[in-house]
Amino acid sequence: MKSTPTGDMAPDEFREEGHHLVDWLADYFRWSLENPVLSRAKPGAIRAALPATAPEEGESFERILEDFERVLVPGLTQWNHPGYFAYFPCGFSTPGALADFLSTATSQQAMLWRTSPAATELEEVVLAWLRRALGLPDTFEGVIYDTASTAVVHALATARHEKAPEVRTRGLAGRGLPAFRVYCSEHAHSSVDKAVITLGLGHENLRRIPADGTYRLRPDLLAAAVEEDRRAGHAPLAVVATVGTTSVTSVDPVPAIADICAREGIWLHVDAAYAGAAGILPECRWAIDGMERADSFVVNPHKWMFTPFDLSAFYCRKMDLLRAAFGLTPEYLKTSEASDVRNLMDTGFQLGRRFRALKLWVVMRSFGLEGLRARLREHMRLARMFADWVDKDPGFERVAPVPFSVVCFRALPRGAGDGEALNAFNERLLQALNDTGEVFLSHTNLGGRYVIRFAVGNIRTTETEVIRTWDLLRDLARPS
């Protein structure tokens, strides 16, 4: 590397290598289609191919990029491949990638307004854009976190601060407080479990409420659980409702849950990390019905709004309470304009904050709301098309509704048996499908059944990849 007196890369070299990198990525988007979606690297292979110690002398960026392509690219799972149908979609788009590059290069640190007025105020503006696109009231103030897991920790911590503010200074131990109880569906994300563990609420104080036949939390059983806990001397603290559960993308009945929370004085947090994005579609506004009554909610543009990971939009109608729970300003962070501005460091346990808002701003401007809506509609159309094929084929069974762009199904081949034998067949089928390298799907377990998940959400996915997936499944499911 040709360095400047400061030791950094010289501007002319940066320009040259930057152009080279963009060219490499543009080529990668094409030739990556010919490579397996799921990496075929063996455990430890990447580590073994790299030196055990750092180089004593600097190396050229050209050589570094060569090693990246030779050693690391084979170990990449291609989340932005059009044949990627596993887990939840990857929020990739080329405008978002360019914005991420710009954010990194400008090196903004958005802890105080003073340390980046642009990052601070753009975050406020772009979160207002998203909130209004969802049709939700301005009473919700927003902040960007990395993931929905961080959002639920902050939601529950704020709920705890509302009920027991002394915990901030004196802690939970020895305070004589009743056990706080948190409630969620049996299908809620594991981040709820980790949040109650992290906050010292105790994992045994998380109550997972059974779901109905369409995998939605049952409000009657929630109300009964709250009543039971009150009689036992426990303190119901919060309910986490889910809009788009991880396994089947079911939508908990938020209006009915909100009624219970309002009656019982319980914090309501809505995890709409995946399916909340569908709320920008008028025909899908039903999915976020009742969310305006929540105390907090989260939507992840990095899941289904083509914004590169990580960017989680958290909204709270009691943000002053959240600031009371987390605000702390040592002398070295005090500024003269503190009374006139909002410092993002006060909205959580993290001090340093990346310029994430830039990615969402660029994506929303590049596509426009209508462009985003068109892509979501197309993804849901492709999922329904796939679901129709499953429904019409006697060799397959769909096991859950398809409200958005995820289809849960399993193969029912003749002679495969039932129970564990059928589960084993579907597990082998999924393994064989992923081994083709053409597509990548994941699985879940529903009532003891091994279920394959087909999740559409990549911006580059077309009918071609959906048709190919179905053809592969039928071929591989045929008796040999």
Side-chain angles (χ1 to χ4, degrees):
M1 183 179 77
K2 300 174 184 176
S3 64
T4 64
T6 63
D8 201 3
M9 184 182 285
D12 288 344
E13 185 181 3
F14 174 78
R15 179 178 288 108
E16 180 182 348
E17 297 298 350
H19 289 164
H20 185 198
L21 180 58
V22 171
D23 287 341
W24 187 93
L25 287 169
D27 290 338
Y28 167 73
F29 295 146
R30 289 195 297 267
W31 62 254
S32 65
L33 301 180
E34 306 302 321
N35 287 271
V37 184
L38 183 61
S39 170
R40 289 174 174 165
K42 301 299 182 184
I46 306 298
R47 183 172 59 249
L50 296 170
T53 57
E56 292 292 338
E57 302 295 332
E59 301 178 71
S60 70
F61 190 80
E62 180 182 9
R63 182 174 178 183
I64 295 168
L65 185 58
E66 287 174 354
D67 283 349
F68 173 80
E69 184 174 344
R70 177 181 60 85
V71 179
L72 298 183
V73 168
L76 298 179
T77 295
Q78 298 191 71
W79 286 70
N80 58 3
H81 191 287
Y84 184 98
F85 298 111
Y87 307 112
F88 276 132
C90 164
F92 170 79
S93 65
T94 48
L98 292 173
D100 219 358
F101 182 28
L102 191 59
S103 171
T104 299
T106 56
S107 191
Q108 295 299 285
Q109 171 55 272
M111 55 187 184
L112 299 166
W113 178 89
R114 173 178 289 187
T115 59
S116 187
T120 302
E121 296 188 14
L122 182 64
E123 185 161 323
E124 180 180 351
V125 169
V126 76
L127 287 176
W129 285 6
L130 178 57
R131 183 186 63 237
R132 289 164 188 156
L134 293 168
L136 293 169
D138 290 348
T139 50
F140 286 103
E141 184 181 342
V143 62
I144 293 175
Y145 295 139
D146 52 359
T147 64
S149 299
T150 297
V152 71
V153 170
H154 285 88
L156 296 183
T158 307
R160 187 183 67 185
H161 188 78
E162 184 176 45
K163 295 290 187 183
E166 68 274 17
V167 168
R168 174 185 161 111
T169 52
R170 302 176 66 190
L172 282 167
R175 299 278 72 85
L177 295 169
F180 287 122
R181 300 290 243 192
V182 177
Y183 310 86
C184 66
S185 164
E186 62 178 305
H187 293 286
H189 193 266
S190 59
S191 60
V192 185
D193 300 71
K194 290 191 174 184
V196 299
I197 294 169
T198 299
L199 292 169
L201 300 176
H203 201 192
E204 66 181 19
N205 290 311
L206 174 64
R207 296 197 61 171
R208 285 188 169 267
I209 307 300
D212 61 19
T214 55
Y215 308 103
R216 305 161 74 238
L217 181 149
R218 286 183 53 182
D220 59 327
L221 296 183
L222 170 63
V226 170
E227 182 181 357
E228 178 186 357
D229 282 341
R230 287 204 188 280
R231 287 199 306 267
H234 303 312
L237 177 67
V239 176
V240 179
T242 308
V243 173
T245 56
T246 302
S247 286
V248 299
T249 69
S250 55
V251 176
D252 286 340
V254 176
I257 295 170
D259 287 342
I260 296 170
C261 290
R263 183 176 69 243
E264 298 289 343
I266 301 172
W267 186 281
L268 173 58
H269 176 67
V270 178
D271 177 0
Y274 161 67
I280 69 173
L281 300 171
E283 66 269 29
C284 288
R285 197 59 63 86
W286 62 268
I288 58 171
D289 185 29
M291 209 152 76
E292 73 281 355
R293 298 174 60 192
D295 295 288
S296 59
F297 68 90
V298 64
V299 176
N300 281 4
H302 72 228
K303 274 194 168 65
W304 202 18
M305 282 187 70
F306 318 113
T307 305
F309 187 84
D310 52 7
L311 196 154
S312 185
F314 174 79
Y315 293 88
C316 184
R317 66 169 63 253
K318 301 175 181 178
M319 196 65 85
D320 287 346
L321 191 62
L322 187 150
R323 291 190 179 93
F326 288 100
L328 181 68
T329 307
E331 183 62 35
Y332 52 82
L333 292 176
K334 292 179 181 178
T335 62
S336 59
E337 69 277 349
S339 61
D340 301 318
V341 300
R342 290 177 175 174
N343 293 318
L344 294 174
M345 69 172 189
D346 295 331
T347 57
F349 53 70
Q350 187 179 19
L351 174 60
R353 305 180 78 260
R354 297 178 60 230
F355 192 4
R356 292 186 178 93
L358 185 62
K359 292 185 290 189
L360 184 56
W361 184 65
V362 168
V363 167
M364 293 183 78
R365 290 190 63 184
S366 295
F367 293 102
L369 289 176
E370 274 306 308
L372 295 173
R373 292 183 185 113
R375 285 157 178 81
L376 297 188
R377 288 186 177 112
E378 175 63 4
H379 289 167
M380 289 190 283
R381 184 190 73 82
L382 293 173
R384 286 192 294 268
M385 181 176 72
F386 187 91
D388 286 343
W389 296 336
V390 170
D391 290 341
K392 293 173 183 176
D393 193 313
F396 290 87
E397 174 190 37
R398 183 166 56 85
V399 298
V402 185
F404 306 109
S405 66
V406 175
V407 184
C408 292
F409 67 99
R410 62 177 181 164
L412 297 175
R414 285 178 295 181
D418 202 355
E420 288 307 311
L422 185 56
N423 285 345
F425 179 90
N426 277 275
E427 186 173 3
R428 290 193 303 270
L429 173 62
L430 180 59
Q431 182 66 49
L433 179 69
N434 290 337
D435 283 347
T436 68
E438 296 189 49
V439 297
F440 177 33
L441 279 66
S442 57
H443 80 283
T444 190
N445 186 293
L446 296 175
R449 296 172 296 175
Y450 187 96
V451 174
I452 301 172
R453 293 174 74 259
F454 176 79
V456 184
N458 192 289
I459 196 168
R460 298 199 288 167
T461 296
T462 67
E463 276 194 19
T464 299
E465 291 78 31
V466 177
I467 292 170
R468 181 57 179 158
T469 303
W470 180 240
D471 288 343
L472 286 168
L473 277 165
R474 288 190 300 168
D475 289 343
L476 293 168
R478 289 194 186 106
S480 55

